[in-house]
Amino acid sequence: AQKITQTQPGMFVQEKEAVTLDCTYDTSDQSYGLFWYKQPSSGEMIFLIYQGSYDEQNATEGRYSLNFQKARKSANLVISASQLGDSAMYFCAMRLRGAQKLVFGQGTRLTINP
Amino acid sequence: DARVTQTPRDKVTEMGQEVTMRCQPILGHNTVFWYRQTMMQGLELLAYFRNRAPLDDSGMPKDRFSAEMPDATLATLKIQPSEPRDSAVYFCASGLVLGTDTGELFFGEGSRLTVL
């Protein structure tokens, strides 16, 4: 069975600092995809970044990068130069290749302080 | 700008009433998911469809919940009768899954249900 673990229920970071949100996963499958979503206070789920299990390079999207360590089964999200608008819940998720459903972690609430 | 549309955005109802939530997936997407979000359980998958066929609804209480896709532009989630423990935000998401492609999901803004 798939499982996603986010061990940080909340994080407080100073504006302009970099922040790392932790995510570990558990699966016996070799082919899977890892996702990060952002949920601001308005409630919608916003896709941020994707990493395939066979991708050799860490995924990057603007200020977001995914620190993928396959042997450790971790997929941490790194946000560089944090902004006040980054304050939100962040969810890590996984989908097995060939399967349909996305399994989510419990989320991390990130607060950026001015 | 293509997006998943959900209605209603907010619903307050009394225990025992029927509730129907609707979702219009992004045109061309072939998979549709229903998720429920609560503080205690986080995001739980209730059901999903591929090419309008239900693939998995094991996360859904069968006695009161039902999910359908009458056509490619509409997915519905119905609760009958509703109970206070059904209070949650219900998200619909759609995606284009081609073979083994692990494309992203696009979420609607959610339907916040409160059952009194």
Side-chain angles (χ1 to χ4, degrees):
Chain A
Q2 311 158 248
K3 186 178 180 183
I4 296 285
T5 303
Q6 294 180 253
T7 57
Q8 306 152 310
M11 285 192 69
F12 294 85
V13 173
Q14 212 63 29
E15 190 180 8
K16 298 181 184 173
E17 289 184 353
V19 57
T20 298
L21 304 180
D22 294 342
C23 172
T24 57
Y25 58 93
D26 187 23
T27 180
S28 55
D29 282 58
Q30 295 301 308
S31 298
Y32 49 87
L34 296 157
F35 301 76
W36 277 92
Y37 282 82
K38 172 184 178 181
Q39 187 178 41
S41 56
S42 51
E44 74 269 32
M45 296 283 285
I46 303 167
F47 167 77
L48 295 179
I49 196 166
Y50 163 79
Q51 177 87 41
S53 60
Y54 291 119
D55 295 342
E56 295 189 352
Q57 302 279 346
N58 284 342
T60 60
E61 288 287 346
R63 293 187 299 113
Y64 304 109
S65 60
L66 200 151
N67 184 1
F68 181 46
Q69 298 187 43
K70 195 170 181 176
R72 297 180 59 186
K73 292 189 176 179
S74 75
N76 298 340
L77 176 71
V78 179
I79 306 174
S80 63
S82 58
Q83 303 170 357
L84 296 179
D86 294 332
S87 294
M89 281 287 286
Y90 287 81
F91 291 93
C92 180
M94 176 171 66
R95 182 161 73 201
L96 300 181
R97 194 172 290 270
Q100 315 295 322
K101 64 182 182 181
L102 206 57
V103 175
F104 287 86
Q106 286 295 96
T108 296
R109 182 171 296 282
L110 174 65
T111 302
I112 306 298
N113 295 315
Chain B
D1 186 24
R3 57 179 58 196
V4 176
T5 304
Q6 287 185 249
T7 57
R9 291 295 312 278
D10 277 285
K11 175 75 175 180
V12 180
T13 191
E14 292 188 345
M15 182 173 64
Q17 296 297 306
E18 177 180 302
V19 175
T20 299
M21 288 167 275
R22 293 177 173 81
C23 168
Q24 182 176 7
I26 292 175
L27 190 64
H29 282 184
N30 62 355
T31 55
V32 174
F33 299 78
W34 283 104
Y35 283 89
R36 175 171 64 184
Q37 186 178 32
T38 60
M39 287 291 293
M40 294 299 295
Q41 301 296 329
L43 278 154
E44 304 172 277
L45 178 66
L46 297 176
Y48 66 93
F49 297 78
R50 183 168 184 176
N51 296 324
R52 294 178 54 202
L55 288 192
D56 186 351
D57 60 2
S58 59
M60 211 163 61
K62 300 291 190 305
D63 55 338
R64 299 183 300 108
F65 284 60
S66 62
E68 295 180 347
M69 272 201 82
D71 61 62
T73 64
L74 177 64
T76 62
L77 179 66
K78 186 177 296 186
I79 309 173
Q80 167 63 19
S82 58
E83 297 180 1
R85 60 182 167 149
D86 301 329
S87 298
V89 180
Y90 291 80
F91 285 99
C92 175
S94 72
L96 181 60
V97 178
L98 302 172
T100 58
D101 179 52
T102 51
E104 70 185 86
L105 291 186
F106 293 80
F107 282 76
E109 293 181 309
S111 292
R112 181 177 297 277
L113 174 64
T114 304
V115 183
L116 303 174

mmCIF file with all atom_site columns, all heavy atoms in Angstrom, chain B residues 74-89:
data_model
loop_
_atom_site.group_PDB
_atom_site.id
_atom_site.type_symbol
_atom_site.label_atom_id
_atom_site.label_alt_id
_atom_site.label_comp_id
_atom_site.label_asym_id
_atom_site.label_entity_id
_atom_site.label_seq_id
_atom_site.pdbx_PDB_ins_code
_atom_site.Cartn_x
_atom_site.Cartn_y
_atom_site.Cartn_z
_atom_site.occupancy
_atom_site.B_iso_or_equiv
_atom_site.pdbx_formal_charge
_atom_site.auth_seq_id
_atom_site.auth_comp_id
_atom_site.auth_asym_id
_atom_site.auth_atom_id
_atom_site.pdbx_PDB_model_num
ATOM 1   N N   . LEU B 1 74 ? -20.185 16.085 -16.769 1.00 0.00 ? 74 LEU B N   1
ATOM 2   C CA  . LEU B 1 74 ? -20.815 16.191 -15.457 1.00 0.00 ? 74 LEU B CA  1
ATOM 3   C C   . LEU B 1 74 ? -20.532 14.972 -14.596 1.00 0.00 ? 74 LEU B C   1
ATOM 4   O O   . LEU B 1 74 ? -20.730 13.832 -15.017 1.00 0.00 ? 74 LEU B O   1
ATOM 5   C CB  . LEU B 1 74 ? -22.328 16.351 -15.611 1.00 0.00 ? 74 LEU B CB  1
ATOM 6   C CG  . LEU B 1 74 ? -23.140 16.412 -14.304 1.00 0.00 ? 74 LEU B CG  1
ATOM 7   C CD1 . LEU B 1 74 ? -22.752 17.655 -13.493 1.00 0.00 ? 74 LEU B CD1 1
ATOM 8   C CD2 . LEU B 1 74 ? -24.638 16.393 -14.596 1.00 0.00 ? 74 LEU B CD2 1
ATOM 9   N N   . ALA B 1 75 ? -20.054 15.242 -13.392 1.00 0.00 ? 75 ALA B N   1
ATOM 10  C CA  . ALA B 1 75 ? -19.911 14.196 -12.374 1.00 0.00 ? 75 ALA B CA  1
ATOM 11  C C   . ALA B 1 75 ? -20.717 14.639 -11.157 1.00 0.00 ? 75 ALA B C   1
ATOM 12  O O   . ALA B 1 75 ? -20.736 15.821 -10.827 1.00 0.00 ? 75 ALA B O   1
ATOM 13  C CB  . ALA B 1 75 ? -18.453 13.996 -11.986 1.00 0.00 ? 75 ALA B CB  1
ATOM 14  N N   . THR B 1 76 ? -21.390 13.697 -10.528 1.00 0.00 ? 76 THR B N   1
ATOM 15  C CA  . THR B 1 76 ? -22.196 14.032 -9.355  1.00 0.00 ? 76 THR B CA  1
ATOM 16  C C   . THR B 1 76 ? -21.812 13.148 -8.179  1.00 0.00 ? 76 THR B C   1
ATOM 17  O O   . THR B 1 76 ? -21.430 11.994 -8.341  1.00 0.00 ? 76 THR B O   1
ATOM 18  C CB  . THR B 1 76 ? -23.698 13.872 -9.630  1.00 0.00 ? 76 THR B CB  1
ATOM 19  O OG1 . THR B 1 76 ? -23.966 12.497 -9.944  1.00 0.00 ? 76 THR B OG1 1
ATOM 20  C CG2 . THR B 1 76 ? -24.136 14.756 -10.771 1.00 0.00 ? 76 THR B CG2 1
ATOM 21  N N   . LEU B 1 77 ? -21.932 13.743 -6.996  1.00 0.00 ? 77 LEU B N   1
ATOM 22  C CA  . LEU B 1 77 ? -21.741 13.012 -5.743  1.00 0.00 ? 77 LEU B CA  1
ATOM 23  C C   . LEU B 1 77 ? -22.975 13.302 -4.889  1.00 0.00 ? 77 LEU B C   1
ATOM 24  O O   . LEU B 1 77 ? -23.276 14.452 -4.605  1.00 0.00 ? 77 LEU B O   1
ATOM 25  C CB  . LEU B 1 77 ? -20.471 13.472 -5.018  1.00 0.00 ? 77 LEU B CB  1
ATOM 26  C CG  . LEU B 1 77 ? -20.174 12.786 -3.687  1.00 0.00 ? 77 LEU B CG  1
ATOM 27  C CD1 . LEU B 1 77 ? -19.851 11.309 -3.902  1.00 0.00 ? 77 LEU B CD1 1
ATOM 28  C CD2 . LEU B 1 77 ? -19.003 13.470 -2.975  1.00 0.00 ? 77 LEU B CD2 1
ATOM 29  N N   . LYS B 1 78 ? -23.660 12.234 -4.543  1.00 0.00 ? 78 LYS B N   1
ATOM 30  C CA  . LYS B 1 78 ? -24.914 12.388 -3.827  1.00 0.00 ? 78 LYS B CA  1
ATOM 31  C C   . LYS B 1 78 ? -24.815 11.734 -2.451  1.00 0.00 ? 78 LYS B C   1
ATOM 32  O O   . LYS B 1 78 ? -24.239 10.631 -2.321  1.00 0.00 ? 78 LYS B O   1
ATOM 33  C CB  . LYS B 1 78 ? -26.058 11.755 -4.617  1.00 0.00 ? 78 LYS B CB  1
ATOM 34  C CG  . LYS B 1 78 ? -27.439 11.989 -4.040  1.00 0.00 ? 78 LYS B CG  1
ATOM 35  C CD  . LYS B 1 78 ? -28.517 11.372 -4.932  1.00 0.00 ? 78 LYS B CD  1
ATOM 36  C CE  . LYS B 1 78 ? -28.565 12.034 -6.290  1.00 0.00 ? 78 LYS B CE  1
ATOM 37  N NZ  . LYS B 1 78 ? -29.694 11.548 -7.109  1.00 0.00 ? 78 LYS B NZ  1
ATOM 38  N N   . ILE B 1 79 ? -25.367 12.408 -1.446  1.00 0.00 ? 79 ILE B N   1
ATOM 39  C CA  . ILE B 1 79 ? -25.431 11.846 -0.098  1.00 0.00 ? 79 ILE B CA  1
ATOM 40  C C   . ILE B 1 79 ? -26.902 11.830 0.317   1.00 0.00 ? 79 ILE B C   1
ATOM 41  O O   . ILE B 1 79 ? -27.577 12.850 0.306   1.00 0.00 ? 79 ILE B O   1
ATOM 42  C CB  . ILE B 1 79 ? -24.633 12.695 0.922   1.00 0.00 ? 79 ILE B CB  1
ATOM 43  C CG1 . ILE B 1 79 ? -23.206 12.961 0.428   1.00 0.00 ? 79 ILE B CG1 1
ATOM 44  C CG2 . ILE B 1 79 ? -24.592 11.980 2.271   1.00 0.00 ? 79 ILE B CG2 1
ATOM 45  C CD1 . ILE B 1 79 ? -22.417 13.922 1.300   1.00 0.00 ? 79 ILE B CD1 1
ATOM 46  N N   . GLN B 1 80 ? -27.370 10.643 0.655   1.00 0.00 ? 80 GLN B N   1
ATOM 47  C CA  . GLN B 1 80 ? -28.771 10.495 1.046   1.00 0.00 ? 80 GLN B CA  1
ATOM 48  C C   . GLN B 1 80 ? -28.921 9.304  1.997   1.00 0.00 ? 80 GLN B C   1
ATOM 49  O O   . GLN B 1 80 ? -28.665 8.165  1.568   1.00 0.00 ? 80 GLN B O   1
ATOM 50  C CB  . GLN B 1 80 ? -29.643 10.312 -0.190  1.00 0.00 ? 80 GLN B CB  1
ATOM 51  C CG  . GLN B 1 80 ? -31.068 9.844  0.057   1.00 0.00 ? 80 GLN B CG  1
ATOM 52  C CD  . GLN B 1 80 ? -31.898 10.819 0.870   1.00 0.00 ? 80 GLN B CD  1
ATOM 53  O OE1 . GLN B 1 80 ? -31.572 11.977 0.975   1.00 0.00 ? 80 GLN B OE1 1
ATOM 54  N NE2 . GLN B 1 80 ? -32.953 10.335 1.476   1.00 0.00 ? 80 GLN B NE2 1
ATOM 55  N N   . PRO B 1 81 ? -29.309 9.522  3.224   1.00 0.00 ? 81 PRO B N   1
ATOM 56  C CA  . PRO B 1 81 ? -29.502 10.801 3.904   1.00 0.00 ? 81 PRO B CA  1
ATOM 57  C C   . PRO B 1 81 ? -28.188 11.335 4.461   1.00 0.00 ? 81 PRO B C   1
ATOM 58  O O   . PRO B 1 81 ? -27.298 10.579 4.821   1.00 0.00 ? 81 PRO B O   1
ATOM 59  C CB  . PRO B 1 81 ? -30.438 10.409 5.055   1.00 0.00 ? 81 PRO B CB  1
ATOM 60  C CG  . PRO B 1 81 ? -30.027 9.005  5.387   1.00 0.00 ? 81 PRO B CG  1
ATOM 61  C CD  . PRO B 1 81 ? -29.624 8.375  4.066   1.00 0.00 ? 81 PRO B CD  1
ATOM 62  N N   . SER B 1 82 ? -28.077 12.647 4.548   1.00 0.00 ? 82 SER B N   1
ATOM 63  C CA  . SER B 1 82 ? -26.852 13.255 5.071   1.00 0.00 ? 82 SER B CA  1
ATOM 64  C C   . SER B 1 82 ? -26.824 13.186 6.598   1.00 0.00 ? 82 SER B C   1
ATOM 65  O O   . SER B 1 82 ? -27.877 13.140 7.252   1.00 0.00 ? 82 SER B O   1
ATOM 66  C CB  . SER B 1 82 ? -26.727 14.704 4.598   1.00 0.00 ? 82 SER B CB  1
ATOM 67  O OG  . SER B 1 82 ? -27.860 15.452 5.008   1.00 0.00 ? 82 SER B OG  1
ATOM 68  N N   . GLU B 1 83 ? -25.610 13.152 7.134   1.00 0.00 ? 83 GLU B N   1
ATOM 69  C CA  . GLU B 1 83 ? -25.391 13.108 8.574   1.00 0.00 ? 83 GLU B CA  1
ATOM 70  C C   . GLU B 1 83 ? -24.360 14.174 8.950   1.00 0.00 ? 83 GLU B C   1
ATOM 71  O O   . GLU B 1 83 ? -23.544 14.566 8.103   1.00 0.00 ? 83 GLU B O   1
ATOM 72  C CB  . GLU B 1 83 ? -24.888 11.730 8.992   1.00 0.00 ? 83 GLU B CB  1
ATOM 73  C CG  . GLU B 1 83 ? -25.863 10.602 8.730   1.00 0.00 ? 83 GLU B CG  1
ATOM 74  C CD  . GLU B 1 83 ? -25.334 9.242  9.157   1.00 0.00 ? 83 GLU B CD  1
ATOM 75  O OE1 . GLU B 1 83 ? -24.204 9.177  9.678   1.00 0.00 ? 83 GLU B OE1 1
ATOM 76  O OE2 . GLU B 1 83 ? -26.058 8.241  8.968   1.00 0.00 ? 83 GLU B OE2 1
ATOM 77  N N   . PRO B 1 84 ? -24.375 14.613 10.213  1.00 0.00 ? 84 PRO B N   1
ATOM 78  C CA  . PRO B 1 84 ? -23.395 15.631 10.627  1.00 0.00 ? 84 PRO B CA  1
ATOM 79  C C   . PRO B 1 84 ? -21.949 15.236 10.343  1.00 0.00 ? 84 PRO B C   1
ATOM 80  O O   . PRO B 1 84 ? -21.123 16.094 10.015  1.00 0.00 ? 84 PRO B O   1
ATOM 81  C CB  . PRO B 1 84 ? -23.657 15.777 12.131  1.00 0.00 ? 84 PRO B CB  1
ATOM 82  C CG  . PRO B 1 84 ? -25.110 15.451 12.276  1.00 0.00 ? 84 PRO B CG  1
ATOM 83  C CD  . PRO B 1 84 ? -25.371 14.352 11.274  1.00 0.00 ? 84 PRO B CD  1
ATOM 84  N N   . ARG B 1 85 ? -21.618 13.979 10.434  1.00 0.00 ? 85 ARG B N   1
ATOM 85  C CA  . ARG B 1 85 ? -20.237 13.552 10.193  1.00 0.00 ? 85 ARG B CA  1
ATOM 86  C C   . ARG B 1 85 ? -19.834 13.678 8.717   1.00 0.00 ? 85 ARG B C   1
ATOM 87  O O   . ARG B 1 85 ? -18.659 13.498 8.383   1.00 0.00 ? 85 ARG B O   1
ATOM 88  C CB  . ARG B 1 85 ? -20.028 12.107 10.647  1.00 0.00 ? 85 ARG B CB  1
ATOM 89  C CG  . ARG B 1 85 ? -20.930 11.102 9.933   1.00 0.00 ? 85 ARG B CG  1
ATOM 90  C CD  . ARG B 1 85 ? -20.706 9.712  10.450  1.00 0.00 ? 85 ARG B CD  1
ATOM 91  N NE  . ARG B 1 85 ? -21.761 8.785  10.013  1.00 0.00 ? 85 ARG B NE  1
ATOM 92  C CZ  . ARG B 1 85 ? -21.570 7.502  9.797   1.00 0.00 ? 85 ARG B CZ  1
ATOM 93  N NH1 . ARG B 1 85 ? -20.389 6.969  9.968   1.00 0.00 ? 85 ARG B NH1 1
ATOM 94  N NH2 . ARG B 1 85 ? -22.570 6.731  9.418   1.00 0.00 ? 85 ARG B NH2 1
ATOM 95  N N   . ASP B 1 86 ? -20.785 13.965 7.852   1.00 0.00 ? 86 ASP B N   1
ATOM 96  C CA  . ASP B 1 86 ? -20.464 14.190 6.438   1.00 0.00 ? 86 ASP B CA  1
ATOM 97  C C   . ASP B 1 86 ? -19.963 15.618 6.195   1.00 0.00 ? 86 ASP B C   1
ATOM 98  O O   . ASP B 1 86 ? -19.534 15.939 5.081   1.00 0.00 ? 86 ASP B O   1
ATOM 99  C CB  . ASP B 1 86 ? -21.695 13.946 5.552   1.00 0.00 ? 86 ASP B CB  1
ATOM 100 C CG  . ASP B 1 86 ? -22.237 12.534 5.697   1.00 0.00 ? 86 ASP B CG  1
ATOM 101 O OD1 . ASP B 1 86 ? -21.439 11.611 5.962   1.00 0.00 ? 86 ASP B OD1 1
ATOM 102 O OD2 . ASP B 1 86 ? -23.464 12.361 5.572   1.00 0.00 ? 86 ASP B OD2 1
ATOM 103 N N   . SER B 1 87 ? -20.026 16.450 7.209   1.00 0.00 ? 87 SER B N   1
ATOM 104 C CA  . SER B 1 87 ? -19.563 17.830 7.060   1.00 0.00 ? 87 SER B CA  1
ATOM 105 C C   . SER B 1 87 ? -18.082 17.832 6.697   1.00 0.00 ? 87 SER B C   1
ATOM 106 O O   . SER B 1 87 ? -17.253 17.261 7.421   1.00 0.00 ? 87 SER B O   1
ATOM 107 C CB  . SER B 1 87 ? -19.796 18.621 8.355   1.00 0.00 ? 87 SER B CB  1
ATOM 108 O OG  . SER B 1 87 ? -21.180 18.684 8.653   1.00 0.00 ? 87 SER B OG  1
ATOM 109 N N   . ALA B 1 88 ? -17.774 18.468 5.594   1.00 0.00 ? 88 ALA B N   1
ATOM 110 C CA  . ALA B 1 88 ? -16.409 18.448 5.059   1.00 0.00 ? 88 ALA B CA  1
ATOM 111 C C   . ALA B 1 88 ? -16.373 19.336 3.821   1.00 0.00 ? 88 ALA B C   1
ATOM 112 O O   . ALA B 1 88 ? -17.394 19.876 3.398   1.00 0.00 ? 88 ALA B O   1
ATOM 113 C CB  . ALA B 1 88 ? -15.987 17.020 4.682   1.00 0.00 ? 88 ALA B CB  1
ATOM 114 N N   . VAL B 1 89 ? -15.183 19.468 3.262   1.00 0.00 ? 89 VAL B N   1
ATOM 115 C CA  . VAL B 1 89 ? -15.051 20.082 1.936   1.00 0.00 ? 89 VAL B CA  1
ATOM 116 C C   . VAL B 1 89 ? -14.856 18.951 0.936   1.00 0.00 ? 89 VAL B C   1
ATOM 117 O O   . VAL B 1 89 ? -13.974 18.100 1.119   1.00 0.00 ? 89 VAL B O   1
ATOM 118 C CB  . VAL B 1 89 ? -13.877 21.067 1.867   1.00 0.00 ? 89 VAL B CB  1
ATOM 119 C CG1 . VAL B 1 89 ? -13.786 21.670 0.465   1.00 0.00 ? 89 VAL B CG1 1
ATOM 120 C CG2 . VAL B 1 89 ? -14.039 22.167 2.911   1.00 0.00 ? 89 VAL B CG2 1
#
